[in-house]
Amino acid sequence: MTSICAAVFLWGSMLVSTVAEACTRFVYLGSSDQVITGRSMDWKTDVGTNLWVFPRGMKRSGEAGPNSVEWTAKYGSVIASGYDVSTTDGMNEAGLVANVLWLVESSYPAYDGKGPGLTIAAWAQYVLDNFATVQEAVDTLAKEPFTIVTDSVPGEDRLATLHLSLSDATGDSAIVEYIDGKQVIHHSRDYQVMTNSPIFEEQLALNSYWQQIGGTVMLPGTNRAADRFARASFYVNAIPKSEEPVEAIASVFSVIRNVSVPFGITTPDQPNISSTRWRTVADQKRKLYFFESALTPNIFWADLTRFDFSEETGKVMKLDLGPNQTNIYSGLVNAEFTEAEPFKFLGL
């Protein structure tokens, strides 16, 4: 009862607080070893997203000054960029998915420039380049091989405050946050859902309250992060575990749309709630990466098994989504990618 009361108090307090830019991520665990990760990108302005193909063998820098961490990509990936200076979402050829979402409570350790540094813009890409599974990523990240270095959001005077979610082809999940300057890793197959504020530990407490009420009785319906967390947690396990991949993908899209924010919504008393700009669905068994813009009529997808990710002949390629992701594509789009120079991660 005490935990329920605490959850009710926390949930209630969020009703009178503002939230930052919002997103939702969840992992569907289906039949026949199907694992599918859905994600929405909610932002108040055009986030300048394009899709990119990165092959193995790319030499990377943490873009944090002279002592930046350096690495060579072990795995090829398809990613969705932010402003073409960061990786916000993506899947690598092993089926590992990484997503960064806003978390206003994030507080990163001070960086003195002496140890290895990694720009927050390349946080997700570092994981996609280096690991095949969540366990591999967690084992390395727990050793804190670098210091995360944040920077201002392009065109704004505030620092990027993000947390990172990971899922792999086995259905394993992890959430990585920096709270009070300390890295906190939540690692469990049970951690299927992540949204924004409050911190993940408190989201779990809130969700336990709604689980005891039961989703068929009542679910919170606002656009706030805690409410979207409760709805995604219920629906991701309420949708059928279909043997048909097409039906499974349709179910995942239906849930990510359910927790999206209507485009163009205005909330005068909640100025920081943002419209959903786009959604991704990553089929980690079939290695398909689906993309849906809020401003175009079609879903399209890339098939990672058909890209050349080899170090010898693989090329960096880009799919230009246009302003506000309004360029229209449909179906399989591998052939629509064109060779391009890789973008540089925003850093020091």
Side-chain angles (χ1 to χ4, degrees):
M1 181 60 69
T2 300
S3 64
I4 293 176
C5 290
V8 173
F9 174 80
L10 180 59
W11 176 70
S13 69
M14 289 190 66
L15 294 181
V16 294
S17 65
T18 59
V19 294
E21 278 69 12
C23 305
T24 305
R25 165 269 197 191
F26 65 83
V27 182
Y28 167 85
L29 305 174
S31 63
S32 302
D33 298 321
Q34 291 187 89
V35 178
I36 303 171
T37 298
R39 182 262 172 81
S40 63
M41 168 60 82
D42 304 350
W43 203 251
K44 63 183 178 180
T45 57
D46 179 13
V47 72
T49 296
N50 293 296
L51 297 190
W52 291 80
V53 172
F54 293 139
R56 300 173 221 123
M58 293 187 69
K59 306 295 183 182
R60 302 285 200 185
S61 165
E63 302 297 345
N67 288 320
S68 297
V69 64
E70 296 182 349
W71 71 95
T72 300
K74 299 176 183 177
Y75 300 96
S77 59
V78 172
I79 68 98
S81 67
Y83 303 102
D84 276 352
V85 297
S86 67
T87 294
T88 64
D89 191 88
M91 177 167 62
N92 71 16
E93 59 184 313
L96 182 70
V97 168
N99 331 88
V100 289
L101 281 69
W102 196 264
L103 180 68
V104 70
E105 291 90 348
S106 299
S107 175
Y108 306 100
Y111 181 56
D112 59 10
K114 296 179 180 179
L118 174 68
T119 172
I120 197 170
W123 194 13
Q125 194 63 52
Y126 175 89
V127 172
L128 293 174
D129 284 351
N130 285 293
F131 309 112
T133 67
V134 169
Q135 186 66 61
E136 288 179 11
V138 167
D139 288 346
T140 296
L141 295 178
K143 299 174 185 176
E144 301 193 58
F146 51 76
T147 299
I148 283 287
V149 181
T150 190
D151 202 346
S152 297
V153 177
E156 301 187 33
D157 293 328
R158 57 176 177 158
L159 293 176
T161 52
L162 307 170
H163 54 171
L164 173 71
S165 67
L166 306 174
S167 60
D168 65 27
T170 73
D172 197 9
S173 279
I175 312 297
V176 186
E177 299 179 336
Y178 282 87
I179 308 300
D180 296 327
K182 303 292 185 182
Q183 180 180 248
V184 179
I185 300 177
H186 302 271
H187 179 203
S188 172
R189 183 182 174 90
D190 295 333
Y191 297 150
Q192 294 173 257
V193 179
M194 185 173 90
T195 54
N196 313 103
S197 299
I199 63 176
F200 189 70
E201 182 177 354
E202 294 174 1
Q203 290 279 20
L204 294 176
L206 288 166
N207 195 52
S208 67
Y209 163 74
W210 287 109
Q211 285 177 333
Q212 293 183 58
I213 291 178
T216 58
V217 176
M218 180 176 64
L219 281 172
T222 79
N223 296 323
R224 296 175 181 276
D227 290 3
R228 289 182 282 107
F229 191 104
R231 293 203 305 280
S233 295
F234 172 73
Y235 284 122
V236 72
N237 291 307
I239 54 178
K241 310 300 184 186
S242 175
E243 293 281 348
E244 294 295 330
V246 171
E247 294 179 2
I249 291 293
S251 292
V252 171
F253 263 112
S254 70
V255 175
I256 199 61
R257 290 167 182 152
N258 180 280
V259 294
S260 294
V261 180
F263 190 83
I265 190 172
T266 57
T267 51
D269 60 330
Q270 302 292 331
N272 292 320
I273 289 181
S274 301
S275 302
T276 296
R277 317 293 300 192
W278 47 259
R279 290 170 281 264
T280 61
V281 168
D283 184 330
Q284 288 151 272
K285 181 178 181 180
R286 295 189 295 160
K287 308 299 188 298
L288 301 176
Y289 188 70
F290 296 82
F291 190 94
E292 180 183 48
S293 169
L295 293 177
T296 60
N298 296 318
I299 297 171
F300 58 89
W301 61 92
D303 185 341
L304 273 68
T305 67
R306 301 190 186 188
F307 283 122
D308 179 5
F309 288 119
S310 69
E311 182 174 353
E312 295 75 20
T313 57
K315 296 179 173 59
V316 175
M317 295 189 291
K318 174 183 177 180
L319 184 67
D320 185 355
L321 301 185
N324 289 295
Q325 300 76 60
T326 52
N327 288 352
I328 297 175
Y329 299 98
S330 180
L332 182 66
V333 295
N334 286 49
E336 303 292 334
F337 282 80
T338 58
E339 189 174 350
E341 290 295 317
F343 63 79
K344 182 177 181 180
F345 289 102
L346 181 67
L348 299 180

